[in-house]
Structure formats: structure tokens, C-alpha cells
Amino acid sequence: MPELPEVETVCQELRKHVKGKLIKTSCLITNLRLRKEIPKSIETIVSNTLIQDISRRGKYILIHLKNGYSLVIHLGMSGKILIKPVDYNFIKHDHMVFYLENLLLVYNDARRFGLIDIVESKKIENYSYFSKLGVEPLSEAFTPEVLIKLLKSSKANAKAFLMNSENIVGIGNIYASEILFKSGISPFKCVYEISEQRADLLYKNIVETLIESIHFGGSTLKDYSKVNGESGYFQNNFKVYGKEAEACVVCDNEIKRVNQNGRSTFFCEMCQRS
DNA sequence: AGACGTACCTGACCGC
DNA sequence: TGCGGTCAGGTACGTC
């Protein structure tokens, strides 16, 4: 699944290709449930309305419609939004389609951990899945001071802290490992013990890593691809993720993999001692 | 509050 | 070729 850079890349592509376009009709292709059931009412609500804009909250994609509603789409682990020609033939795991004037928007999600929902735009701040979300790392609201305050008020380890969307949104399993490596912070470190100097470095690396990855179009592992089906390229820049038993690019020590809260963490014991 | 397990799913891959 | 086990980028919920 896509982490923040992948979701942001999808948003940018959607803005480029479908912003301002008319949704003629839409239709559920399967009756299988995603994280929750796709509301059948979407079909009527989104028909014959213009796509006004596309934005993002954490890893949720928001498609704002001119009729006062917003589509909320989450890609889960394996979700994709793909732009297809009008003569496209549906394939396995296509769950919903939006018919625009000369193209289709198709939502495909093999593992069905994703989400499609519809909400009144003016009530979006109260949307249940958004109520506990933390700060947007690429917004002006995210500053070194804000990060330090969050670190001081949490007893979680560094990996769990970065993964917890109640602190900072958008950082998933890959970028958590990468950001901690760049910052020289052990994934086991209790975050309230991180020095302010080290926190400044962490701040810089959170922002830089995400921006750099967006620049590369996100990363592509098994399931994620951009709306045109092309791959992103950031995975070529991974320093530790998926590099178990390989040599650290900095110190040549062996990269380790451990399980933290059921997820793999990759790190270098020599470089990450703070 | 946070650690940890479980649940939701399919598919790829590996060893036998 | 098939079978079982393991792993995968997310998130929510329950329990201790």
C-alpha cells in the first residue's frame, strides 16, 4: 500500500486527468465489501456531477464534487485507481467504476482493505475516520516544535510512533524504516528520550523523504501503481527497506530485520544508535 | 497509554 | 503440478 507519497502521486495524476470533468454515471461492479461496504447510494449521488477538485487527508484521497459531496477513497494495501479507455473490459478485483466523458476511473483492490465512501463536503472534518488523524507532515502546521512536542508526550518506540497516524499521518512501514535510518535513530528508542537536536534531524528527514519520494512518483512494490499503470521509482532509493543481510550503504555493517508490532522493521545497528 | 494479538483479504513466492 | 506455510505498503478493535 501506498504510503503518503504514493497517494499524493495518485492525487496529482487525478488532478491532471479528471479535475473539471463530468461524472456521467457510476456503478458498483462487485458486491464484495471493502474495509466497509461501499454505499450503494454513491451510484446516484455522483452521477451527472462535475469533479471540482482533488485533495488528500493522510492516505485518504478526496474527490470533491460540485454537488456538495466528496468521495473518500483509501487504497488500503493493494488498492489502485486506474484511468482506462471507454472500451475497457473489467478484470478481477475491479470493484467500482466511474464513467466520465471519454474515460473510465476504475477502483481495483485485490485484498479489499481499501475504502470508498461518500460524505457531504461541509461535514468532512467530522468524518469518522478523520477525527483521530494527526498532523499533515507536508503542511505548514508541521514544524520542528510540533514534532518535539509530540515526541515528548509519547512513550512509544520510534517505529511505532512514526507509524501511528494519530501523531503524524501518511508514514507507513517502508518510510518509517527509511526515515529512522537517515536520522540515525534506533527503531526501539523511546521517543520522549530523543534529543531536540536529533528531533530536528528527524523533522528534516520526514519532510525530505516524503517530498523526494513524491518527486520520484512514489515507490512501486507489488501492488501500487500510478493511475496510468506505470511504476514509481523511489524504491530504487531505499537504503534499508527490504535489504536484510545486505551491507549498509554507510558503514558496511549488515542490515537487520526485526518484527515490531507485527510488521518488519529494517535497520542498521551501527548507524542507528541514537 | 501502549504493547500485542486478531481480523479483514488475495496473491506471490518458497520449499517440499 | 500441487500443497502448505509465510509474507506483503493499512487500519480498526479488543484485551491486558
Side-chain angles (χ1 to χ4, degrees), chain A residues 46 49 52 70 145 191 196 224 256:
Chain A
V46 308
T49 190
Q52 209 159 35
S70 294
E145 295 70 33
V191 294
E196 294 203 2
Y224 166 75
K256 294 284 194 293

Side-chain angles (χ1 to χ4, degrees), chain A residues 130-144:
Chain A
F130 294 177
S131 61
K132 292 167 81 177
L133 292 183
V135 64
E136 285 287 341
L138 300 182
S139 72
E140 287 180 7
F142 186 56
T143 62

Side-chain angles (χ1 to χ4, degrees), chain A residues 2 5 15 31 42 46 102 111 120 130 150 155 256 272:
Chain A
R15 230 168 268 134
N31 57 2
I42 288 187
V46 308
N102 2 342
R111 292 178 70 183
E120 280 184 69
F130 294 177
L150 286 169
K155 292 196 169 83
K256 294 284 194 293
Q272 295 176 249

Side-chain angles (χ1 to χ4, degrees), chain A residues 151-175:
Chain A
L151 294 171
K152 295 288 179 208
S153 62
S154 169
K155 292 196 169 83
N157 66 53
K159 175 77 177 333
F161 175 87
L162 288 182
M163 294 277 290
N164 186 347
S165 63
E166 293 179 30
N167 300 317
I168 304 162
V169 297
I171 302 171
N173 203 41
I174 292 180
Y175 294 108

Side-chain angles (χ1 to χ4, degrees), chain A residues 110-125:
Chain A
R111 292 178 70 183
R112 310 204 323 258
F113 291 166
L115 171 90
I116 302 181
D117 208 352
I118 188 89
V119 60
E120 280 184 69
S121 303
K122 64 182 178 190
K123 293 184 181 166
I124 215 145
E125 286 303 312

Side-chain angles (χ1 to χ4, degrees), chain A residues 197-212:
Chain A
Q197 195 180 11
R198 187 64 60 172
D200 283 338
L201 184 62
L202 177 61
Y203 173 83
K204 175 177 156 290
N205 283 318
I206 289 170
V207 175
E208 280 186 9
T209 302
L210 295 176
I211 288 178
E212 190 186 6

Side-chain angles (χ1 to χ4, degrees), chain A residues 4-117:
Chain A
L4 187 149
E6 291 74 27
V7 176
E8 179 59 31
T9 301
V10 171
C11 286
Q12 289 177 4
E13 299 270 305
L14 288 175
R15 230 168 268 134
K16 194 159 68 185
H17 293 108
V18 305
K19 181 175 170 177
K21 294 210 170 183
L22 179 75
I23 300 177
K24 293 197 294 186
T25 58
S26 64
C27 147
L28 301 181
I29 299 163
T30 68
N31 57 2
L32 298 169
R33 52 180 294 129
L34 306 180
R35 190 198 309 176
K36 68 192 270 295
E37 206 169 316
I38 304 175
K40 184 79 179 158
S41 62
I42 288 187
E43 289 183 354
T44 46
I45 292 173
V46 308
S47 290
N48 283 310
T49 190
L50 284 171
I51 295 175
Q52 209 159 35
D53 204 358
I54 290 99
S55 66
R56 177 184 60 71
R57 178 74 178 103
K59 296 173 190 164
Y60 292 84
I61 297 161
L62 299 171
I63 301 181
H64 304 288
L65 305 174
K66 191 152 189 200
N67 65 3
Y69 284 86
S70 294
L71 278 165
V72 181
I73 300 178
H74 195 288
L75 302 177
M77 291 274 236
S78 54
K80 302 181 188 86
I81 298 175
L82 294 166
I83 292 175
K84 294 292 182 185
V86 286
D87 60 354
Y88 169 73
N89 292 313
F90 296 122
I91 58 170
K92 200 172 180 184
H93 308 307
D94 284 345
H95 298 293
M96 182 152 197
V97 57
F98 300 92
Y99 293 89
L100 277 58
E101 280 166 296
N102 2 342
L103 57 88
L104 311 184
L105 272 186
V106 179
Y107 181 86
N108 179 291
D109 185 0
R111 292 178 70 183
R112 310 204 323 258
F113 291 166
L115 171 90
I116 302 181
D117 208 352

